[in-house]
Amino acid sequence: MTWDWNTVGDFMPHFWDGLLITLQALAIGSVISFVLGLVWALLMRTPTRWVRWPVGVVTEFVRNTPLLVQLFFLFYVLPEWNITFSALTTGVVAIGLHYSTYTMQVYRAGIEGVPSGQWEAATALSLPVRRTWTAVILPQAVRRVVPALGNYVIAMLKDTPMLMTITVLEMLGEARLYSQQHFQFTEPLTVIGVAFILISYPASLLLRALERRLVR
């Protein structure tokens, strides 16, 4: 087996296209998971059982079924109900929804970690409920959970190749298509593997440094 740099050069334009799609899916999916996860966490703290129960059922179902099954369901089943999205939109929504059930648990832990004295102080000052959450509780809770949320971003990055199964040409999808067309597998797949390492490993180091800083 020989390494062909010409193949690498020929593949690179496809790689950049795939990288752009990967980063788009990661960025939008992360935003969805962060926002929706916070919504789930807040709904689970409502005193109304008829709110908590459906939210708990939905999040448990999503968390305990494979992401790949959810991708297939959204992409192949919803069109039968006349609900159709592009492949990329479907993939982004699936990733964001799936990981929101994990970020929900992170937010819940952060909220529960806020000292009880903070709640008591807000009550003593007669702060409105919304003000208590936005000015007192959530800033402290989110600060505690930033590193954990970052870990899920890395996990989402490593799950983006699943989008290939619903025709989204992210990095691995571009490599697979190129390899099948040119019968060259080693160089494209190696480039993709190195790219994932170059993105995820520095990000993990950054998260460790951020965690140490926030713990001080």
Side-chain angles (χ1 to χ4, degrees), residues 11-34:
F11 170 67
M12 289 310 293
H14 303 276
F15 165 76
W16 293 119
D17 290 341
L19 176 63
L20 179 60
I21 296 298
T22 296
L23 295 179
Q24 286 179 346
L26 177 63
I28 302 174
S30 297
V31 171
I32 293 174
S33 70
F34 292 165

Side-chain angles (χ1 to χ4, degrees), residues 59-188:
T59 55
E60 284 295 326
F61 177 81
V62 173
R63 185 165 57 249
N64 289 285
T65 53
L67 174 59
L68 187 58
V69 173
Q70 295 165 17
L71 283 167
F72 279 11
F73 183 87
L74 293 177
F75 189 69
Y76 293 109
V77 176
L78 288 187
E80 296 183 4
W81 300 343
N82 296 319
I83 303 175
T84 305
F85 302 101
S86 68
L88 180 58
T89 300
T90 300
V92 166
V93 170
I95 288 179
L97 176 62
H98 183 80
Y99 275 94
S100 72
T101 61
Y102 292 95
T103 59
M104 176 192 75
Q105 299 296 342
V106 173
Y107 284 123
R108 287 181 65 182
I111 292 170
E112 292 172 0
V114 175
S116 59
Q118 298 295 313
W119 296 90
E120 294 169 359
T123 302
L125 293 172
S126 300
L127 292 181
V129 174
R130 179 177 297 181
R131 181 68 174 170
T132 298
W133 279 101
T134 58
V136 180
I137 305 303
L138 288 182
Q140 296 182 66
V142 170
R143 183 176 182 273
R144 295 168 180 267
V145 303
V146 166
L149 293 176
N151 288 331
Y152 282 117
V153 173
I154 296 175
M156 278 186 269
L157 170 67
K158 291 187 287 187
D159 273 348
T160 54
M162 288 192 186
L163 301 186
M164 176 183 62
T165 62
I166 59 170
T167 73
V168 175
L169 291 180
E170 40 65 62
M171 288 195 293
L172 185 59
E174 289 283 4
R176 180 173 179 268
L177 180 62
Y178 181 90
S179 298
Q180 291 176 336
Q181 291 176 341
H182 298 83
F183 302 100
Q184 297 284 346
F185 292 88
T186 302
E187 292 83 1

